[in-house]
Amino acid sequence: MQKVNFFDFETKSGGSMDLTLEHLPETPHLQLIHQAIIITRNNARAGSACAKTRGEIHYSTRKPWRQKGTGRARAGMKNSPIWVKGGVAFPPRPRDYSVSFPKKQKRLAFQSAFLLALEKDGSMMVLRNFQAPAMKTQTVLKMLKQDDLLQRKNLIVYDESNGPIFQCLRNVQGITPMHWQSVCTHDIMMHGRILITEEALNRLKERLQNA
């Protein structure tokens, strides 16, 4: 059983509540968390970097000047890598950076990251009766700015029943709204404050068992 802070938007009050989460490890596996972050960043790379080799540069193959007698260094052709606008010696080519991650390790890394966020004081907070009244950014921000809920980097985990939270907060600096199904280890570790709606938390309890 863990202790987690909460804020109720209906009564405008907060406190702490007991949170029972099964299938969490006794201690977080830091190595798996680190590995999950690296794999997530690798899988997000486009891998589209590309440059031309000397064989792909369209230059004449004529020798720029004769071999001897000019006082200049000898040169064979203008597409040499040491020439300006010449080919690249070992150019980057399009490639796939994605890495596979075993399912059990991925689940354990997610559970460990969630446990770290729970153990860190003030890092996680549950939002009760949080409902976006309309697709108005300022209205939702006004609700969140009370009781110092927002900090420097905030991750807001929501459910469909909470309203159009993503549409309201997607362009706000310092706030990352994310559906509970899309949250991964990288998202939890890269944010200083995690705000979870009560509806999303109930769904996350099921996901923590299967991740």
Side-chain angles (χ1 to χ4, degrees), residues 115-164:
L115 179 62
L116 271 181
L118 276 175
E119 292 178 347
K120 187 178 178 181
D121 187 29
S123 175
M124 184 177 294
M125 178 172 284
V126 178
L127 306 180
R128 286 181 173 176
N129 301 315
F130 181 66
Q131 186 75 25
M135 204 173 294
K136 295 289 186 181
T137 300
Q138 293 301 325
T139 304
V140 178
L141 277 180
K142 188 177 180 181
M143 295 171 61
L144 291 173
K145 284 182 178 178
Q146 54 189 337
D147 200 45
D148 296 329
L149 293 180
L150 297 180
Q151 293 183 357
R152 190 170 64 91
K153 292 185 69 175
N154 305 272
L155 174 66
I156 298 182
V157 185
Y158 66 91
D159 185 64
E160 298 94 341
S161 58
N162 298 122

Side-chain angles (χ1 to χ4, degrees), residues 11 33-34 40 49 62 68 70 86 90 100 102 108 171 174 178 180:
T11 61
I33 294 176
H34 180 258
T40 301
R62 187 179 73 88
K68 290 178 175 293
T70 63
F90 300 101
S100 60
L108 188 55
N171 292 328
M178 191 166 291
W180 62 270

Side-chain angles (χ1 to χ4, degrees), residues 185-204:
T185 304
H186 180 270
D187 301 319
I188 295 177
M189 298 305 299
M190 292 299 109
H191 292 82
R193 191 75 178 274
I194 303 172
L195 305 175
I196 307 179
T197 64
E198 195 170 26
E199 294 79 7
L201 180 61
N202 294 332
R203 304 302 298 271
L204 272 178

Side-chain angles (χ1 to χ4, degrees), residues 28-188:
H29 295 259
L30 301 181
Q31 180 62 34
L32 279 181
I33 294 176
H34 180 258
Q35 186 176 350
I37 293 175
I38 292 177
I39 290 177
T40 301
R41 291 179 174 177
N42 282 343
N43 294 344
R45 296 184 67 174
S48 57
C50 184
K52 292 182 179 181
T53 63
R54 63 184 300 169
E56 297 169 326
I57 297 294
H58 292 289
Y59 267 134
S60 171
T61 58
R62 187 179 73 88
K63 191 173 176 64
W65 51 75
R66 60 195 173 97
Q67 182 80 350
K68 290 178 175 293
T70 63
R72 290 178 291 187
R74 55 193 174 187
M77 54 183 63
K78 291 183 178 180
N79 58 11
S80 172
I82 64 175
W83 277 57
V84 176
K85 297 185 180 179
V88 181
F90 300 101
R93 310 300 284 184
R95 55 170 290 189
D96 184 14
Y97 287 94
S98 62
V99 184
S100 60
F101 200 24
K103 190 174 181 180
K104 290 184 179 180
Q105 292 185 7
K106 182 180 179 181
R107 176 170 62 244
L108 188 55
F110 182 73
Q111 294 170 346
S112 298
F114 201 87
L115 179 62
L116 271 181
L118 276 175
E119 292 178 347
K120 187 178 178 181
D121 187 29
S123 175
M124 184 177 294
M125 178 172 284
V126 178
L127 306 180
R128 286 181 173 176
N129 301 315
F130 181 66
Q131 186 75 25
M135 204 173 294
K136 295 289 186 181
T137 300
Q138 293 301 325
T139 304
V140 178
L141 277 180
K142 188 177 180 181
M143 295 171 61
L144 291 173
K145 284 182 178 178
Q146 54 189 337
D147 200 45
D148 296 329
L149 293 180
L150 297 180
Q151 293 183 357
R152 190 170 64 91
K153 292 185 69 175
N154 305 272
L155 174 66
I156 298 182
V157 185
Y158 66 91
D159 185 64
E160 298 94 341
S161 58
N162 298 122
I165 295 179
F166 178 78
Q167 290 81 355
C168 294
L169 302 176
R170 59 184 174 180
N171 292 328
V172 180
Q173 187 175 7
I175 298 179
T176 306
M178 191 166 291
H179 193 268
W180 62 270
Q181 286 181 323
S182 304
V183 177
C184 66
T185 304
H186 180 270
D187 301 319
I188 295 177

